[in-house]
Amino acid sequence: MHIPDNYLSPASCALLAVAAAPAIGLSIAKVKVQLKENKELAPMLGVAASLSFLLMMFNVPVPGGTTAHAVGGALLAILIGPYAASLALSVALILQAFLFGDGGILALGANIFNMAVAMPFIGYGIYSWFRKHHHESLGVIVGSYVAINAAALLTGIELGLQPLIASEAGQPLYNPYGLEVTIPAMMAAHLVVAGWVEAFFTYVIYRFVKQVAPAELYTPSSKNTTSFVKKIRWVLLGLIVLSPLGLLADGTAFGEWSSEELGSLLKGKVPAGIKNGFSFEALFSDYTIPGTKIAIGYILSAITAVLIFYIISKMIRSINGAKTSHA
């Protein structure tokens, strides 16, 4: 679901970045208020970003020989609220793009719109409706399943529109597959496999939190505590240790091929925008660490990301604490 660079036209990238901006801006404003009321939200933001990042490392095989993964959009919204979840997911996506080459730099706005805006708000909205009608567990499952499929549908539409809006002499400049291919491909992968993986992870982690700290699942009046953060970190440790399991799935996710992979699929007819477009070489591309075995590199990448999120959360907590003291 991570759209790479050059699969969307520059105009599409700009439009989707503009579309995501108001939601992210509102989330920043809301979270600033929440941090003033509860500084313990800061470490939870780091935990949430880590949780989503680690879930996205677990690739699973899907029909057609490609792969997909969970995202955790609804899960984070259930744990810390949709606004904080939107920010945590955005930070995770930014780190993935710049440090690990997972998702494009120019396409970052599109990926944030699909996974950090649509997913948490749709998932939380569905979960809240079921919770009000006393079916909270069902809301967790339905909300997470629908949320990731909504993001997949958006991705399929964005990719599939490219041949219609960006072509030259009748040839697509960017993603070469139309809506009749992209939507079925994205939806088959997520309706049949990835949606259920998302629902499974969401429900299992939700049940864990329900057992260890039931009062701290997000409500507008709830407050996360240090104890809660410490308990959820055991989940992160388990995901780090198990992260190499994501390497067992062969193949590349639909629409995330390199120029060379796409060339082999199209018998060398790579669209000009992809072939000659923007190129960015991430330091730890594909979660590999130079000089290490791929499984070890995967674990080290996971640890690196979690440490970065931890440092960011400590900085946020420190800044917020200083502002509170000054006030």
Side-chain angles (χ1 to χ4, degrees):
M1 200 182 298
H2 290 70
I3 301 175
D5 280 325
N6 308 318
Y7 274 73
L8 300 179
S9 69
S12 298
C13 291
L15 179 63
L16 289 164
V18 169
I24 299 303
L26 178 60
S27 295
I28 291 172
K30 291 282 189 180
V31 170
K32 280 183 177 179
V33 173
Q34 292 172 355
L35 282 167
K36 289 180 181 178
E37 297 173 353
N38 176 26
K39 63 182 180 181
E40 297 304 333
L41 176 60
M44 198 58 199
L45 283 169
V47 168
S50 300
L51 191 55
S52 177
F53 183 96
L54 293 171
L55 288 178
M56 286 190 268
M57 295 184 76
F58 286 84
N59 294 306
V60 294
V62 298
T66 62
T67 62
H69 55 72
V71 176
L75 171 63
L76 301 197
I78 291 167
L79 293 179
I80 61 174
Y83 298 107
S86 182
L87 291 188
L89 281 160
S90 295
V91 172
L93 291 169
I94 290 169
L95 185 68
Q96 284 177 325
F98 280 94
L99 191 58
F100 301 101
D102 195 1
I105 305 299
L106 300 180
L108 193 53
N111 289 325
I112 287 175
F113 180 80
N114 298 338
M115 288 183 276
V117 175
M119 281 194 72
F121 287 101
I122 291 173
Y124 187 76
I126 294 171
Y127 161 77
S128 295
W129 187 88
F130 276 93
R131 186 180 63 189
K132 288 177 183 176
H133 291 81
H134 311 292
H135 297 289
E136 187 171 338
S137 294
L138 184 59
V140 171
I141 296 169
V142 176
S144 57
Y145 181 82
V146 172
I148 194 170
N149 278 287
L153 178 60
L154 287 170
T155 303
I157 291 172
E158 291 155 10
L159 289 171
L161 285 174
Q162 298 310 303
L164 297 176
I165 63 177
S167 61
E168 188 176 81
Q171 297 298 315
L173 289 172
Y174 302 99
N175 175 62
Y177 299 110
L179 293 167
E180 71 281 1
V181 173
T182 59
I183 291 179
M186 290 299 300
M187 298 316 296
H190 289 82
L191 287 170
V192 177
V193 179
W196 298 110
V197 173
E198 178 87 4
F200 171 78
F201 273 118
T202 301
Y203 184 74
V204 168
I205 296 173
Y206 157 80
R207 288 305 305 173
F208 171 80
V209 175
K210 191 79 170 175
Q211 290 293 324
V212 302
E216 295 180 22
L217 289 166
Y218 175 79
T219 64
S221 59
S222 65
K223 290 187 177 181
N224 300 117
T225 67
T226 303
S227 174
F228 179 42
V229 171
K230 288 180 179 178
K231 289 171 182 175
I232 201 73
R233 282 174 180 165
W234 286 105
V235 176
L236 299 183
L237 180 60
L239 291 173
I240 289 172
V241 173
L242 296 174
S243 62
L245 292 176
L247 295 168
L248 297 177
D250 292 326
T252 303
F254 180 86
E256 297 184 24
W257 307 286
S258 66
S259 179
E260 293 75 17
E261 288 176 307
L262 184 62
S264 66
L265 292 173
L266 299 176
K267 298 180 179 179
K269 297 180 180 179
V270 180
I274 294 178
K275 186 176 182 179
N276 305 314
F278 175 77
S279 179
F280 175 80
E281 197 65 38
L283 184 60
F284 303 126
S285 183
D286 296 325
Y287 305 103
T288 58
I289 306 294
T292 65
K293 292 183 179 180
I294 186 168
I296 299 299
Y298 222 62
I299 293 175
L300 291 176
S301 293
I303 293 172
T304 299
V306 171
L307 287 175
I308 291 173
F309 295 137
Y310 173 75
I311 292 169
I312 292 173
S313 69
K314 291 289 284 185
M315 292 171 62
I316 293 172
R317 192 177 190 277
S318 177
I319 293 169
N320 186 69
K323 287 181 178 179
T324 302
S325 300
H326 181 70

